[in-house]
Amino acid sequence: MTDSRRFYVTTPIYYVNDRPHLGHVYTTMVADVVARFHRLRGDETFFLTGVDEHAAKVSEKAAEMGMTPQAWADQNAAAFREVFERLEMTNDDFVRTSAPRHKERVTQYVQALLDSGDVYEGDYEGWYDAGQEEYVPENKAAQNDFKSEVNGKLLVRKTEKNYFFKLSAYRDPLLCVYAERDESGVPFVQPEARKNEIVNRIKEMEDVPISRSGTGGWGIPVPGAADQTIYVWIDALFNYLAHVDTGADSEWGDRRPFWRAGAVHFIAKDILWFHAAIWPALLLALQKCKGYEWVNLPRQVYCHSYWVSDTGAKMSKSLGNFLDPAAIDNYVSTFGLDALRYFLATRGPLGVSDSAFSPDLFSEVYNSDLANTFGNCCSRVANMIGKYFDGHLPEPSPDSNGNAMRFAAADYLPDYTTHFETLDLGRAGEAALRPVRDVDAFIERTQPFRLAKDPENLPTVGTILFECAEALRIASLLLWPFLPDACELFWNRIGCSSYAADLRDQGVGNLADWSKWGGLQAETPIEKGNPLFPRYEEE
Ligand code: ME8
C-alpha cells in the first residue's frame, strides 16, 4: 500500500480535569466522519483521540475532590472513553498520557533532544496563565491588562529553573515549511486566515521553557532531572507521534507508515500556536536526532472555530454553559445518533466563524435534510415499488424516457471527494444529498404514481423506480460517513448489506467501484421498513 492510500487523523487529547462536553465530542466526531470517508474509499486509516492527564489543573481539581491525580484522571478518562464509545466513534486507539507506553516514548524524545542540544538548561521568568498552563509573552500580557485572554483571571509573575527548547532556531526552517506547503497547494495550516496569524508570530518566536518544577511528581520527569517534569504541552503534543511510533515486533504492530503518510490534526483555535509552531519545530528538531530521521512533518493542522451558546459565549467547562453528556444523550434519544453526527459535522464551526448551537436550528436541519429529504425519498420509492411491483425491484428498460438519473450519477463523486479532501464537511454533506434531491425532482417531473394508473406504462414506471432506487443507493454510500446507522439499515433493505460487512470485516470499502451505476439487481426484494428519520414535531 502506498502512503497516499494511508490516512492518519487525530484530535486534541482532552484535559481530564472535568467531564467531556460538546466541544470535545465535536472535534472527535468531525475526525470520525473524515476517518469513515477515508475507510469508505479504501484508504488504510488510523484515527487517534484520547486524553491529556498531566496538567496542573488536573492535580488541583483532584486535590479539591480529595482524590489522587491518578484516581481523578482515571475516573474522567473513563468518562471520555465511555462517551466516545457510546457515540460510536471509530478511533483505532485511545491515548492516555499517564500510560507507560506514552511516558516511555516521550522520555526517549526529550532525551534525544537533550543529546542534540535542542533542549538545554536555564532560568525563566514571565507572566503565567494558570488556567491555560502557558506563559504569555510580555507585550501580549500588557495588552490584556495582565489578565488571561481566555478566562480573564490575573496572570501570575513566575520564575523557575527550566529546561528550554531552542524554538528560535526554527524560525527560518518553519517559514520555509510554510512556504513550501503553500506552493504544493496543501497549506500547513487551514483555514488560510488562521495561517497568516501564525506566520507573523513565527518570525518573532523565542526559546520556550519545556519543563516545570513543583508539580508534586504529576507528570513525566525530565530525564536526568527528577525535580523537573516535562511541561504538559510538550508531553501532550508528542502523543501524536508516540502512539504510531511502534515497530512490527510490538504489541501494536508497525504503525509508523501512518505517521509517514502525514498526520491531519484537527484542533480548535485555542490551541493553534502549539500545533502550528511548537509542534512542527519539535519534529524538525527530532528529525535531526539519530534514529529519528524517518520522522516527517504532519500533512496539515486544521483549525476550527468554536461552538458558542445562543448568546454568543464560548461553550466551555469553566463557563459552565457546555452541553454535557446528559444533554448530548437527550439529543441522541430524540433524534438519533446519526442526526447529531450530521448536524455537528455539517453545521459546525469548521471555518473561521463560530457557530451558535441552537436547538431550533437542530430540529430544522433534522426535518429538512434527514426527515423530508433522505428519509422521505427512501420511503417514497420503496412505497411505489411495494405498490406497483409487489416489493421487488423492477427491471429497467434500456431506452425508455425514464432513464435520466443514470447520466446524472456520473458526476456525484468528484465534488463530494474534493469537499472531503479540503475538509469542507458542510459542502460534502450537501454533495451527498444531491442524488436525493435529484431523485425528488425526477419523481416530480416524471410522475410515476400518475403513469402507473395505466398498466401500459408499467415498463416506464419500472425504469423510473429502478433509477430512483439506484440513485438512492449511491446517495446512501456518500451519506454513510455522516449517517452510518441509517445507511446500513437502508443497505439491508435494498439487498446491499455486503457493503457494511466489507467495511466491518476488511476495515475498508471501495467507494469508486460501489458508486458506479448498476449496483442493484432487478428482482431484489425491497423492504419498506419504518421511516429512517421520522419527522420531528415539537411537543
Ligand atoms: O486544550 N467549540 O484540551 P481541552 C469547539 N489538552 N470545540 C471545542 C470547544 C468549543 N466550544 N471547546 C473545546 C487542550 N473544544 C489540550 C490539548 S493536544 C496535544 C492537547 C475542543 O480539554 C477543541 O478541539 O481544553 C479544542 O481545541 C479542544 O476541545 C480543547 O480541549
Side-chain angles (χ1 to χ4, degrees):
M1 171 144 319
T2 62
D3 281 354
S4 66
R5 297 316 306 268
R6 278 204 186 82
F7 183 71
Y8 178 34
V9 62
T10 71
T11 73
I13 51 174
Y14 308 108
Y15 287 131
V16 287
N17 56 324
D18 215 331
R19 289 166 306 155
H21 66 69
L22 181 82
H24 308 131
V25 164
Y26 172 64
T27 313
T28 302
M29 217 163 229
V30 162
D32 185 64
V33 169
V34 172
R36 284 176 187 264
F37 162 76
H38 280 273
R39 292 196 195 100
L40 175 65
R41 84 166 183 182
D43 300 341
E44 207 184 311
T45 299
F46 197 83
F47 164 27
L48 189 65
T49 189
V51 291
D52 185 1
E53 303 179 78
H54 295 132
K57 56 183 165 193
V58 173
S59 54
E60 284 157 11
K61 189 71 191 269
E64 228 174 83
M65 304 300 291
M67 292 169 88
T68 62
Q70 189 64 62
W72 179 243
D74 287 349
Q75 185 176 313
N76 282 311
F80 273 90
R81 201 196 279 266
E82 193 269 326
V83 165
F84 291 165
E85 269 171 21
R86 201 145 33 88
L87 297 177
E88 295 174 15
M89 306 289 192
T90 55
N91 48 298
D92 295 287
D93 202 345
F94 184 90
V95 176
R96 289 198 57 181
T97 56
S98 65
R101 60 175 167 148
H102 174 83
K103 291 184 180 174
E104 186 185 310
R105 280 285 183 264
V106 173
T107 308
Q108 288 165 353
Y109 301 148
V110 173
Q111 182 67 62
L113 296 177
L114 278 163
D115 293 344
S116 72
D118 269 317
V119 168
Y120 63 92
E121 207 182 328
D123 280 317
Y124 186 83
E125 187 183 351
W127 294 105
Y128 190 66
D129 181 335
Q132 290 300 98
E133 311 240 355
E134 70 174 312
Y135 279 96
V136 180
E138 188 74 34
N139 57 353
K140 224 175 139 197
Q143 255 171 32
N144 219 25
D145 287 339
F146 302 94
K147 285 182 186 151
S148 164
E149 236 187 355
V150 179
N151 62 16
K153 291 195 184 148
L154 274 181
L155 303 175
V156 207
R157 193 73 189 164
K158 234 172 127 169
T159 310
E160 39 179 323
K161 178 169 118 63
N162 275 134
Y163 285 84
F164 284 80
F165 171 51
K166 231 185 242 172
L167 186 60
S168 60
Y170 291 93
R171 285 179 204 143
D172 289 342
L174 259 191
L175 291 172
C176 271
V177 168
Y178 273 81
E180 276 168 25
R181 293 299 182 88
D182 280 355
E183 215 157 284
S184 78
V186 186
F188 188 65
V189 169
Q190 278 278 48
E192 197 79 11
R194 301 263 179 239
K195 187 194 71 193
N196 302 337
E197 242 168 71
I198 292 296
V199 167
N200 290 331
R201 239 179 114 184
I202 288 176
K203 294 180 187 150
E204 294 172 10
M205 65 194 187
E206 300 293 343
D207 293 359
V208 284
I210 61 137
S211 72
R212 295 277 183 274
S213 52
T215 59
W218 183 237
I220 305 175
V222 173
D227 63 322
Q228 298 266 323
T229 52
I230 296 167
Y231 176 37
V232 62
W233 263 106
I234 304 300
D235 168 349
L237 286 166
F238 274 133
N239 94 85
Y240 299 131
L241 177 63
H243 285 71
V244 291
D245 180 5
T246 59
D249 53 352
S250 75
E251 148 185 2
W252 302 279
D254 185 10
R255 289 178 175 177
R256 290 180 186 132
F258 288 111
W259 181 264
R260 282 200 296 272
V264 172
H265 298 307
F266 275 105
I267 56 161
K269 57 188 175 181
D270 49 345
I271 56 178
L272 180 58
W273 176 247
F274 291 103
H275 286 81
I278 313 243
W279 179 225
L282 280 171
L283 290 167
L284 287 173
L286 193 63
Q287 185 176 77
K288 294 192 309 195
C289 301
K290 194 163 173 297
Y292 292 105
E293 298 80 0
W294 60 277
V295 171
N296 52 337
L297 293 191
R299 177 181 163 83
Q300 193 156 63
V301 173
Y302 193 96
C303 175
H304 62 72
S305 301
Y306 292 145
W307 280 105
V308 293
S309 68
D310 276 350
T311 61
K314 182 193 171 198
M315 289 182 153
S316 78
K317 288 181 280 210
S318 45
L319 295 173
N321 61 352
F322 56 85
L323 284 192
D324 64 6
I328 294 169
D329 279 351
N330 242 330
Y331 277 92
V332 173
S333 60
T334 311
F335 297 94
L337 177 53
D338 279 350
L340 178 72
R341 178 191 295 278
Y342 181 83
F343 179 75
L344 291 184
T346 63
R347 301 302 197 276
L350 267 185
V352 286
S353 324
D354 293 341
S355 300
F357 190 95
S358 126
D360 290 345
L361 182 63
F362 193 110
S363 46
E364 201 181 301
V365 168
Y366 172 85
N367 275 340
S368 67
D369 290 10
L370 303 184
N372 298 350
T373 304
F374 183 48
N376 183 55
C377 192
C378 292
S379 299
R380 223 175 157 191
V381 171
N383 278 336
M384 286 191 273
I385 292 172
K387 200 158 157 194
Y388 311 131
F389 297 95
D390 201 21
H392 286 73
L393 191 67
E395 184 86 48
S397 43
D399 294 306
S400 87
N401 55 4
N403 41 25
M405 289 300 305
R406 189 174 55 196
F407 304 107
D411 58 44
Y412 290 136
L413 202 56
D415 264 5
Y416 170 81
T417 305
T418 305
H419 296 318
F420 259 112
E421 277 169 352
T422 54
L423 305 175
D424 187 344
L425 300 195
R427 288 210 170 87
E430 198 39 55
L433 275 184
R434 233 184 81 206
V436 184
R437 299 196 196 283
D438 286 355
V439 167
D440 275 334
F442 182 51
I443 293 175
E444 287 318 305
R445 198 168 70 240
T446 54
Q447 310 254 312
F449 41 87
R450 191 159 295 165
L451 290 175
K453 289 180 182 150
D454 179 350
E456 276 212 353
N457 289 331
L458 275 185
T460 305
V461 174
T463 304
I464 294 170
L465 293 180
F466 178 91
E467 297 230 328
C468 291
E470 183 58 12
L472 285 177
R473 181 189 67 84
I474 293 172
S476 68
L477 287 165
L478 308 186
L479 284 166
W480 179 79
F482 299 97
L483 307 170
D485 294 343
C487 292
E488 287 172 26
L489 183 59
F490 182 64
W491 295 343
N492 287 340
R493 293 176 179 177
I494 61 170
C496 290
S497 53
S498 66
Y499 300 147
D502 280 6
L503 282 161
R504 189 179 53 241
D505 301 342
Q506 292 161 33
V508 288
N510 190 343
L511 182 60
D513 240 30
W514 294 352
S515 64
K516 282 190 188 132
W517 190 258
L520 287 174
Q521 297 291 324
E523 291 310 316
T524 305
I526 302 292
E527 193 192 323
K528 233 174 77 183
N530 295 328
L532 292 174
F533 298 100
R535 221 190 124 71
Y536 173 75
E537 308 285 353
E538 209 167 341
E539 277 163 18

